[in-house]
Structure formats: C-alpha cells, structure tokens
C-alpha cells in the first residue's frame, strides 16, 4: 500500500544550492555574508505545473511575493497559477518536490497549503510586531533545526509576518522583550 502511494508521485530533483536570481537582490545573512537564492526552484514554480512539497521530509519553501512572503510546508501545493507571481524562493531543509498524478492528491495539497497560510495568518493577527516575529521564530524552531533557522535572513521572517526587517533582526538578536 505504501509502495502504491510512492508510485503515484514522480520525484522531481531540485537543487538546494543557492545561485543568483534576477528578481530580487541578495540578502544579508545573520552572519553578515551576502547570500543569493536558487532560481532552479523558481523555474519549476513558473513552469505552470503544480508540485507538492514532500510530506515525508522536514522541508518547505519560503515564497517571496511582491509585498509579502508565504511558507509552503510539507504536503502543500506549490507552483501552477497560484505562485506565478513568486519572485524568489528559499528552500528549507532537504527540499523534495513531488508531482501529483491524481486530482485528489492535488486537492489535498491545496487544502494543506491553505492550512499553512492560516497558521501564518493567526500569527499576523497579533498587533505587537515583536510578538509576531517571536511567534514565527518559535514555530520554525519547533519544526526545523535551530541552526537552519538561524541561517535564514531577517527579511524572510519580516515578510512572513508583516514587520520591518529591522524589527525581525532586533527580535532575533535580543529576544521579543522590550
């Protein structure tokens, strides 16, 4: 039964090495180095095809749109018309994208994507910016290794929860206390 499920998906190889993108400038990482992100995944997303973030791995994508960012975690649909406005992506973890073959798989993946969006929405409903940053950091640190989260740029968390990158940087360095 488990082997039947794996046969319904076609594995898509995705590089998680970070190379230049033409849409957004590079970010300054927490350690002060300048980092650019992979256009390989962005090419997949702009192909018009729908993919599913592998639900059997701790992986995901931060999708940068024009004025905000979204997180697509395990089981979530990415690509297609839904992400045609994506300007940049940051793969998190050992990214694995699968191609759904059945309509039901695709529908379930869209529902899971909505759940990830709702989780972020709940965090952004907090009126205190520092608390929003702290909550998103806590969520990511519960799911991903702390060193992996530490390597993500401030602007990623800022755009996820609607705060200035400086606010995210202050919270990350000094904590959420004022």
């Amino acid at each position: 039964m488990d082997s039947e499920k794996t046969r319904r998906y076609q594995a898509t190889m995705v590089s998680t090495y970070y190379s230049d993108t033409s849409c957004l400038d590079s970010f300054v990482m927490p350690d002060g180095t300048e980092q650019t992100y992979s256009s390989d995944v962005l090419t997949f997303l702009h192909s018009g095809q729908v993919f599913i973030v592998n639900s059997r791995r701790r992986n995901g994508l931060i999708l940068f749109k024009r004025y905000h960012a979204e997180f697509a975690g395990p089981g979530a649909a990415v690509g297609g018309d839904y992400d045609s406005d994506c300007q940049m992506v940051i793969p998190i973890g050992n990214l694995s994208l699968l191609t759904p073959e059945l309509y039901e798989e695709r529908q379930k993946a869209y529902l899971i994507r909505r759940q990830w969006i709702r989780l972020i929405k709940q965090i952004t409903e907090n009126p205190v910016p520092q608390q929003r940053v702290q909550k998103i950091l806590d969520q990511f640190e519960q799911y991903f290794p702390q060193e992996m989260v530490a390597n993500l740029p401030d602007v990623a968390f800022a755009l996820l929860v609607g705060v200035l990158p400086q606010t995210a940087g202050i919270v990350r360095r000094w904590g959420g206390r004022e």
Side-chain angles (χ1 to χ4, degrees):
M1 183 165 169
D2 210 21
S3 61
E4 280 181 30
K5 285 186 178 185
T6 55
R7 277 189 239 146
R8 283 192 258 159
Y9 293 108
Q10 296 174 357
T12 303
M13 299 304 293
V14 177
S15 171
T16 56
Y17 290 101
Y18 302 130
S19 61
D20 292 340
T21 64
S22 59
C23 297
L24 294 175
D25 293 333
S26 59
F27 295 120
V28 177
M29 300 302 284
D31 63 3
T33 60
E34 199 170 281
Q35 182 71 53
T36 56
Y37 293 97
S38 175
S39 61
D40 297 343
V41 179
L42 194 59
T43 302
F44 279 116
L45 296 180
H46 287 163
S47 72
Q49 190 173 356
V50 174
F51 299 97
I52 299 174
V53 177
N54 191 341
S55 62
R56 295 182 180 201
R57 293 189 185 179
R58 287 186 178 238
N59 66 145
L61 286 171
I62 296 178
L63 304 151
F64 290 83
K65 307 293 180 107
R66 187 166 183 181
Y67 298 111
H68 72 285
E70 296 176 11
F71 178 70
V78 294
D81 291 337
Y82 197 72
D83 292 317
S84 63
D85 61 340
C86 189
Q87 296 181 347
M88 178 182 271
V89 296
I90 299 177
I92 303 174
N94 187 8
L95 183 65
S96 171
L97 297 178
L98 307 171
T99 305
E101 293 184 3
L102 299 175
Y103 173 80
E104 292 80 16
E105 294 168 345
R106 190 180 218 166
Q107 289 302 109
K108 181 180 177 187
Y110 278 119
L111 290 173
I112 292 171
R113 175 76 180 264
R114 278 184 32 191
Q115 289 175 338
W116 285 109
I117 291 170
R118 284 183 180 154
L119 173 66
I120 303 297
K121 179 185 176 288
Q122 287 175 347
I123 294 170
T124 59
E125 288 174 345
N126 186 327
V128 181
Q130 294 87 346
Q131 290 176 4
R132 292 198 305 259
V133 174
Q134 190 60 58
K135 184 67 175 170
I136 194 72
L137 287 171
D138 293 344
Q139 290 291 322
F140 269 73
E141 288 174 353
Q142 281 181 358
Y143 198 72
F144 297 107
Q146 190 170 2
E147 55 278 355
M148 189 180 296
V149 176
N151 286 326
L152 294 172
D154 294 342
V155 70
F157 294 109
L159 289 173
L160 281 168
V161 295
V163 302
L164 294 172
Q166 297 90 328
T167 304
I170 290 168
V171 172
R172 291 178 84 183
R173 285 155 199 54
W174 303 104
R177 297 164 208 83
E178 294 177 33

